[in-house]
């Protein structure tokens, strides 16, 4: 893995955590969900959306997602959001 550069992106006024790994940018899915939906609980929204897509379309969204440790609002690095 190359040197990781953590940055914050802004989308529609919402902060979206991102990290550069192997020359590619990876974004926090829950931050993107929060920016697009204004959900009070974007993690729960993402969880329910994954279940709905699996049931309705037969698509497992989580299989295409990698988890990286990003800085949480409390300043700690965590791998799940």
């Amino acid at each position: 893995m190359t040197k990781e550069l953590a940055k914050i992106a802004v989308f529609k006024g919402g902060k979206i955590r991102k990290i550069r790994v192997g020359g590619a940018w990876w974004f926090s899915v829950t931050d993107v969900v929060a920016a697009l939906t204004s959900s009070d609980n974007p993690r729960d929204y993402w969880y329910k959306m994954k279940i709905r897509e699996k049931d309705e379309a037969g698509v497992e969204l989580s299989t295409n997602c990698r988890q990286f440790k990003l800085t949480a609002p409390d300043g700690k690095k965590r791998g799940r959001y």
Side-chain angles (χ1 to χ4, degrees):
M1 188 180 305
T2 63
K3 183 177 179 182
E4 300 173 3
L5 302 171
K7 302 285 183 184
I8 301 282
V10 177
F11 179 77
K12 293 187 176 183
K15 293 181 180 179
I16 299 173
R17 290 165 294 163
K18 63 182 179 178
I19 190 169
R20 190 173 175 99
V21 177
W25 284 105
W26 295 80
F27 297 86
S28 165
V29 172
T30 54
D31 290 353
V32 172
V33 168
L36 294 174
T37 66
S38 300
S39 172
D40 290 334
N41 191 342
R43 187 174 177 184
D44 188 51
Y45 190 103
W46 173 241
Y47 173 76
K48 290 178 181 178
M49 187 170 72
K50 288 191 302 182
I51 291 172
R52 183 175 56 243
E53 285 301 308
K54 185 176 179 183
D55 292 345
E56 293 177 7
V59 176
E60 281 195 58
L61 299 176
S62 61
T63 60
N64 296 325
C65 296
R66 294 184 59 187
Q67 290 186 358
F68 297 105
K69 289 190 177 189
L70 298 170
T71 304
D74 64 4
K76 296 181 180 178
K77 287 210 174 232
R78 296 196 179 89
R80 280 198 100 139
Y81 298 99

